[in-house]
Amino acid sequence: MSRKLQRTEVCADCSAPDPGWTSINRGVLICDECCSVHRSLGRHISIVKHLRHSGWPPTLLQMVQTLASNGANSIWEHSLLDPAQVQSGRRKPNPQDKVHPTKSEFIRAKYQMLAFVHKLPCRDDDGVTTKDLSKQLHSSVRTGSLETCLRLLSLGAQANFFHPEKGTTPLHVAAKAGQILQAELLVVYGADPGAPDINGRTPMDYARQAGHIELAERLVECQYELTDRLAFYLCGRRPDHKNGHYIIPQMADSLDLSELAKAAKKKLQALNNRLFEELAMDVYDEVDRRENDAVWLTTQNHSTLVTERSAVPFLPVNPEYSATRNQGRQKLARFNAREFATLIIDILSDAKRRQQGKGLSPTDPLDLGIDDDQHDYDSVASDEDTDSELATHNNNNTMDSSDLSDGPITLQEYLEVKKALASSEAKVQQLMKVNNNLSEELRRLQKEVRGGKKHGSGTDSDYDNTHMYDPSLSVGRSSEEESRGESEDGGGGEAGEPDPTLPCTEDVILKTEQVTKNIQELLRAAQEFKHDSFVPCSEKIHSAVTEMASLFPKRPALDAVHCSLRLLASSASRLQVECRKAVPSESGAPAVDYQLLTQQVIQCAYDIAKAAKQLVTITTREKKQ
């Protein structure tokens, strides 16, 4: 791609104008459509972030912009620049080409298969080639030529290479030379900020001794990236690393843990360091997925949300991980907000405990090391709070606290999945074809409720394992499978015995349509950044939810109905609390983090839609028996 095109900022993959996203590890700017494909590849292939609506460390953004403006894309499209390729008919997509298969196939070939990257001459000993490349990287990072280092990394140079003669890694060299953008690039490619040289000194030590204070402080942030990101996701705060490295949000009901939660916490504490680190990294990736989903939904044109450009419903498969770990990673998408918050808090707490007790042996650049005793607590509301009590949390970061209506998804269950599940990779690959987002699910729900009693006809599904991984929304399952799934989860009663206390199916459908209509209105407000519309939208949703809940008996016979109603009501109440935060407060109050707020609002709306759909499913099934 020419420098002229780079300066006018076009998508690196299809040349669409004004790209809003970037692939950090590829150093390119990409449009919305191409971004959806990048996200489906997984973070091990492409780490995506929105240029304007995501939080950015300034030097990381500068590193990406420098690469993009200096022709980094030519690294990934090297062979396409050969005129012979044009004559052979090989070309990159145009903005008007379809996402699937045209753009998606090109992007997979470009970044996953590295089909267009310059190939090294064949040598008998691949290890020597990698060592030579790594030595070149070790030398090059002392300069400002980012694209040279990215090219070496693309060819296989190792970011954590330990130079046998020099006794240092490339990050030590970059730190000593004050090359902060090179340091950012190396860390993105896995360089460990805490790696010791032959004398036990870290890159942070090198930066401080050379007087590069800003770089030293940035390397500290990189070392604690995992724990910082998890804490920020829950409470919108990061430690300053001068007065402490750790912020541990606290659940309001943490002193009254259930026996199941206590057992899950003990199981986490019993994990060896390697498995604990794997779990922490998996949760980090899930946080990244959820944050990008929130940005995605708020930046898309609402009228075109339900297209082949869609969000990623769970973590994509990483072929370097086992099938059981990939399945466990995908299962994280089923945790509702409160369950996920509890898991994050347990991980943060146990990371600190391990560091203080016997220390961790980090094998990943997202170092879990903690070396201070300071605790900062931010309150996270519990699901036992009443509406009035919830309002008092208006200045705290409240989390959704509803129960998952098809049975609790606990850490204990997740760990059992990591050990016990043995489905084939082919099944997992099949599962990846199920590519739905919240708006698409709402569309499905609306189609179902419009169909009334036709809801139960269904069609056979190719994804018979989907119920194990997706966000409990029955995506890709037939109605027969949905009914069976509800029963297996403890939601159904005796077969062939309809519950006479349940309301008329048509009434439930009517109220559900109103709930989903109001949710769509809220999502449009979020997408258009009309934060002043949040409160009236949430009031409408709460009213519609109240009317829907009034159709059902106060003490329903079916556990599934009780759980769904509880999820519906608590999510609607929590949505009101979150939306009230959008109201401008008195002068001097902290500014509202609208990105974090929108993320919480979308999560609440998601849980409301899920509960409404489950009530439609249960009512339809029971009335047919």
Side-chain angles (χ1 to χ4, degrees):
M1 180 176 292
S2 71
R3 288 175 180 266
K4 181 180 179 181
L5 287 177
Q6 284 289 352
R7 285 198 294 269
T8 56
E9 293 192 348
V10 298
C11 174
D13 299 330
C14 75
S15 302
D18 193 27
W21 296 81
T22 179
S23 173
I24 297 175
N25 57 324
R26 305 298 180 174
V28 296
L29 308 182
I30 52 178
C31 68
D32 287 1
E33 289 193 343
C34 292
C35 173
S36 68
V37 181
H38 277 252
R39 290 197 64 207
S40 71
L41 297 178
R43 283 174 50 84
H44 58 288
I45 301 296
S46 182
I47 303 172
V48 302
K49 202 175 185 72
H50 198 277
L51 285 167
R52 293 178 290 277
H53 297 290
S54 296
W56 279 94
T59 51
L60 180 61
L61 178 58
Q62 185 182 351
M63 183 272 287
V64 172
Q65 291 174 329
T66 300
L67 282 173
S69 63
N70 283 280
N73 194 42
S74 64
I75 294 173
W76 314 110
E77 295 184 355
H78 176 83
S79 65
L80 289 182
L81 301 176
D82 183 350
Q85 294 293 338
V86 178
Q87 295 175 4
S88 69
R90 298 184 72 174
R91 68 169 183 85
K92 63 188 299 179
N94 294 317
Q96 296 77 21
D97 286 331
K98 290 186 176 181
V99 178
H100 302 291
T102 309
K103 292 183 180 180
S104 62
E105 288 182 355
F106 174 79
I107 291 170
R108 287 180 181 278
K110 180 177 175 180
Y111 300 107
Q112 190 170 38
M113 308 306 295
L114 300 180
F116 315 124
V117 171
H118 174 63
K119 302 296 190 298
L120 291 173
C122 294
R123 298 179 60 167
D124 294 335
D125 189 349
D126 290 337
V128 173
T129 300
T130 300
K131 185 176 181 180
D132 289 344
L133 288 168
S134 299
K135 283 188 174 182
Q136 290 182 46
L137 177 68
H138 189 277
S139 175
S140 298
V141 293
R142 71 179 74 250
T143 75
S145 180
L146 282 178
E147 57 272 25
T148 298
C149 294
L150 179 61
R151 191 180 302 276
L152 290 168
L153 289 164
S154 75
L155 294 173
Q158 301 299 301
N160 271 319
F161 172 72
F162 187 85
H163 200 296
E165 290 84 26
K166 308 289 187 180
T168 56
T169 69
L171 193 54
H172 287 95
V173 177
K176 183 176 181 180
Q179 294 289 349
I180 192 167
L181 301 189
Q182 294 283 22
E184 292 283 4
L185 178 61
L186 290 169
V187 170
V188 166
Y189 272 82
D192 182 0
D197 69 355
I198 195 170
N199 297 313
R201 295 184 300 166
T202 67
M204 292 173 284
D205 295 330
Y206 273 66
R208 289 193 187 96
Q209 290 167 6
H212 306 304
I213 305 304
E214 180 187 0
L215 174 52
E217 292 176 350
R218 176 61 186 144
L219 288 173
V220 173
E221 292 176 356
C222 291
Q223 184 174 20
Y224 294 97
E225 163 66 13
L226 189 150
T227 50
D228 284 4
R229 183 81 173 270
L230 297 190
F232 185 83
Y233 177 76
L234 290 189
C235 65
R237 295 175 55 210
R238 299 179 189 272
D240 59 13
H241 296 292
K242 295 177 181 177
N243 301 307
H245 293 301
Y246 224 29
I247 293 176
I248 306 178
Q250 188 177 45
M251 299 291 285
D253 60 349
S254 60
L255 297 179
D256 186 27
L257 294 176
S258 67
E259 291 303 315
L260 191 60
K262 291 177 181 177
K265 191 168 186 176
K266 287 181 180 178
K267 199 156 188 175
L268 181 145
Q269 293 173 345
L271 289 176
N272 62 40
N273 283 347
R274 182 182 63 81
L275 288 178
F276 176 75
E277 288 169 5
E278 286 183 0
L279 175 59
M281 287 186 282
D282 292 346
V283 170
Y284 176 94
D285 287 351
E286 174 64 13
V287 164
D288 181 79
R289 185 194 69 82
R290 293 188 182 206
E291 288 182 336
N292 275 335
D293 269 355
V295 173
W296 181 269
L297 286 171
T298 58
T299 56
Q300 297 303 294
N301 181 340
H302 183 77
S303 63
T304 61
L305 261 179
V306 186
T307 66
E308 53 189 355
R309 300 187 310 171
S310 56
V312 178
F314 42 74
L315 291 174
V317 170
N318 184 337
E320 296 183 2
Y321 296 160
S322 66
T324 53
R325 183 175 178 186
N326 275 312
Q327 291 159 359
R329 283 163 58 85
Q330 291 171 344
K331 197 176 182 68
L332 287 172
R334 294 184 64 193
F335 283 55
N336 65 26
R338 181 176 184 274
E339 291 163 341
F340 195 53
T342 301
L343 175 56
I344 289 174
I345 291 170
D346 285 348
I347 287 174
L348 290 172
S349 301
D350 210 55
K352 185 178 184 71
R353 179 189 68 83
R354 288 167 185 259
Q355 178 63 25
Q356 290 177 332
K358 56 184 178 181
L360 294 170
S361 301
T363 58
D364 186 86
L366 300 176
D367 189 7
L368 297 178
I370 307 297
D371 59 17
D372 71 296
D373 294 323
Q374 180 170 330
H375 283 76
D376 285 329
Y377 294 99
D378 282 349
S379 178
V380 179
S382 81
D383 63 345
E384 301 302 320
D385 294 333
T386 64
D387 285 354
S388 60
E389 290 170 333
L390 286 173
T392 66
H393 288 283
N394 213 25
N395 293 321
N396 295 321
N397 181 58
T398 56
M399 300 297 297
D400 179 74
S401 57
S402 52
D403 291 327
L404 200 61
S405 61
D406 63 346
I409 308 297
T410 65
L411 174 60
Q412 183 175 12
E413 181 180 357
Y414 171 65
L415 295 174
E416 288 170 354
V417 168
K418 284 171 71 74
K419 293 180 180 180
L421 289 179
S423 294
S424 67
E425 288 290 348
K427 284 287 187 183
V428 178
Q429 292 292 348
Q430 264 193 333
L431 180 61
M432 292 309 303
K433 298 177 183 177
V434 186
N435 192 22
N436 280 290
N437 61 12
L438 173 60
S439 291
E440 193 164 353
E441 179 57 29
L442 292 176
R443 185 187 68 163
R444 284 169 47 84
L445 175 57
Q446 288 177 321
K447 281 186 176 180
E448 290 169 2
V449 296
R450 288 193 200 104
K453 291 194 174 183
K454 294 181 181 179
H455 176 85
S457 59
T459 56
D460 290 336
S461 169
D462 292 329
Y463 311 113
D464 56 356
N465 266 4
T466 302
H467 65 281
M468 299 174 69
Y469 318 114
D470 81 10
S472 306
L473 292 171
S474 304
V475 177
R477 297 167 64 186
S478 67
S479 297
E480 178 183 351
E481 288 173 314
E482 289 176 3
S483 299
R484 183 170 66 250
E486 291 287 348
S487 178
E488 289 171 353
D489 290 332
E494 293 288 333
E497 295 183 8
D499 188 346
T501 64
L502 290 178
C504 171
T505 303
E506 287 76 6
D507 291 343
V508 177
I509 290 170
L510 183 64
K511 298 300 182 184
T512 301
E513 282 185 320
Q514 189 59 46
V515 170
T516 55
K517 178 182 176 182
N518 292 331
I519 287 178
Q520 293 283 21
E521 183 180 346
L522 176 65
L523 290 179
R524 277 195 295 272
Q527 176 254 319
E528 296 169 2
F529 303 103
K530 294 181 178 178
H531 301 113
D532 55 345
S533 298
F534 277 17
V535 169
C537 284
S538 69
E539 296 296 340
K540 289 181 183 178
I541 292 172
H542 190 274
S543 177
V545 163
T546 301
E547 290 181 11
M548 183 174 182
S550 67
L551 297 175
F552 293 83
K554 291 185 177 181
R555 294 186 178 181
L558 296 176
D559 289 341
V561 173
H562 173 75
C563 290
S564 295
L565 287 171
R566 185 179 179 188
L567 174 62
L568 190 70
S570 62
S571 298
S573 295
R574 192 58 50 114
L575 177 65
Q576 287 185 301
V577 172
E578 293 297 335
C579 288
R580 287 174 194 146
K581 294 179 183 178
V583 178
S585 55
E586 65 278 0
S587 60
V592 178
D593 185 339
Y594 285 108
Q595 179 185 335
L596 184 67
L597 174 62
T598 301
Q599 176 181 301
Q600 303 299 341
V601 166
I602 289 174
Q603 180 64 51
C604 293
Y606 188 94
D607 286 343
I608 292 170
K610 175 170 62 179
K613 187 209 171 165
Q614 288 166 338
L615 288 170
V616 171
T617 301
I618 297 169
T619 305
T620 303
R621 183 191 68 227
E622 291 295 321
K623 290 300 181 181
K624 283 185 176 182
Q625 289 180 351

